[in-house]
Amino acid sequence: MKTTSRAAAPRRLPPEERERSIVDAAVSLAGESGLEALTVRAVAARVGVTPALVAHYRPVMESFVAEVFTTIVAAERDEVIASYDPSVDLRTNLLRLIETLLDDSRDDVAMVWVQSWALGARNEALGARVRTEMDLWHSALEDLIARAIAEDPVLRENPLQVDPDSSAWMLLAMVDGMSAHSLVHWVPRDRADLARRTLSAVLDVPVVEPVQPAETLR
């Protein structure tokens, strides 16, 4: 008697669990291959369900990509900011933070960020999330720097020496640039040394004295 075999049907899950499995699969896929790899078919294959089921839970792929992006980068931000140690000085904290973000083990998140800037130009849902996450990173760094200034008597007596707002912007620009460069293996010989030099440039800005008017020539 001839028999035929069928592929096993996906196990039926409660809606909440199925939705979670789809999101988790998309996050995993983006971490491995970037945001560009997120398609209905690719996510469905990762979960082991039909594309129609993925589309049922996430009918607008552009919004789903934005959601996955936020999940990945927000988790990293929360982790890195939580590592701030109030028992050590500002320079040490910021250097640790920079070295953590530039570690090769985080190239997957760097890829997500780099692709988000390009894809966000045409995907407005993603572009809006990118802007929000960049603002949150800036605010978090600005808050850490301002808090350190308030707690350090030397910095507190010279508030013009370190500006939390511009310092946060410069540090983020350096990290973003170096992370993007590392994806194509174009990096300085010693990224840690460059990080220290940049940090010194940011934190050791001399106080600008008002310019005295030149004496009138007679």
Side-chain angles (χ1 to χ4, degrees):
M1 180 177 179
K2 186 177 180 181
T3 61
T4 58
S5 59
R6 289 185 178 181
R11 184 166 63 91
R12 184 178 295 277
L13 295 176
E16 297 80 6
E17 289 186 37
R18 177 58 72 197
E19 181 178 31
R20 184 71 262 164
S21 71
I22 290 172
V23 173
D24 288 346
V27 168
S28 175
L29 182 60
E32 293 175 9
S33 304
L35 295 177
E36 289 182 330
L38 294 180
T39 65
V40 172
R41 290 186 177 278
V43 174
R46 177 62 62 98
V47 182
V49 298
T50 65
L53 188 59
V54 172
H56 170 73
Y57 282 95
R58 290 296 186 273
V60 182
M61 200 61 194
E62 288 81 4
S63 298
F64 191 24
V65 171
E67 177 186 352
V68 171
F69 160 79
T70 301
T71 300
I72 293 172
V73 301
E76 181 186 52
R77 185 184 65 254
D78 291 343
E79 173 201 345
V80 173
I81 295 301
S83 68
Y84 179 86
D85 185 354
S87 67
V88 301
D89 62 276
L90 175 63
R91 185 185 300 274
T92 301
N93 264 308
L94 290 180
L95 185 58
R96 289 176 180 173
L97 183 149
I98 292 169
E99 290 176 338
T100 297
L101 291 173
L102 293 179
D103 190 271
D104 291 342
S105 65
R106 295 182 183 271
D107 281 353
D108 55 343
V109 184
M111 173 68 78
V112 167
W113 267 112
V114 169
Q115 290 189 350
S116 75
W117 295 324
L119 298 176
R122 291 184 173 84
N123 178 345
E124 180 50 36
L126 176 58
R129 293 289 188 101
V130 170
R131 292 189 292 272
T132 296
E133 289 300 322
M134 292 177 74
D135 285 342
L136 289 172
W137 254 116
H138 175 265
S139 297
L141 275 181
E142 184 181 19
D143 179 67
L144 291 183
I145 297 171
R147 190 195 317 169
I149 292 173
E151 295 171 354
D152 187 322
V154 176
L155 293 174
R156 191 169 61 246
E157 292 173 5
N158 299 279
L160 293 179
Q161 189 168 357
V162 178
D163 174 54
D165 176 66
S166 59
S167 296
W169 280 121
M170 286 188 282
L171 292 175
L172 284 176
M174 182 198 69
V175 169
D176 287 344
M178 290 178 66
S179 295
H181 297 162
S182 71
L183 294 178
V184 292
H185 309 294
W186 190 78
V187 294
R189 294 179 181 176
D190 189 345
R191 289 201 296 184
D193 179 65
L194 179 58
R196 287 190 293 270
R197 289 173 180 271
T198 303
L199 194 55
S200 293
V202 170
L203 298 182
D204 299 335
V205 179
V207 177
V208 179
E209 299 291 343
V211 178
Q212 298 296 327
E215 292 185 4
T216 305
L217 296 177
R218 296 179 183 276

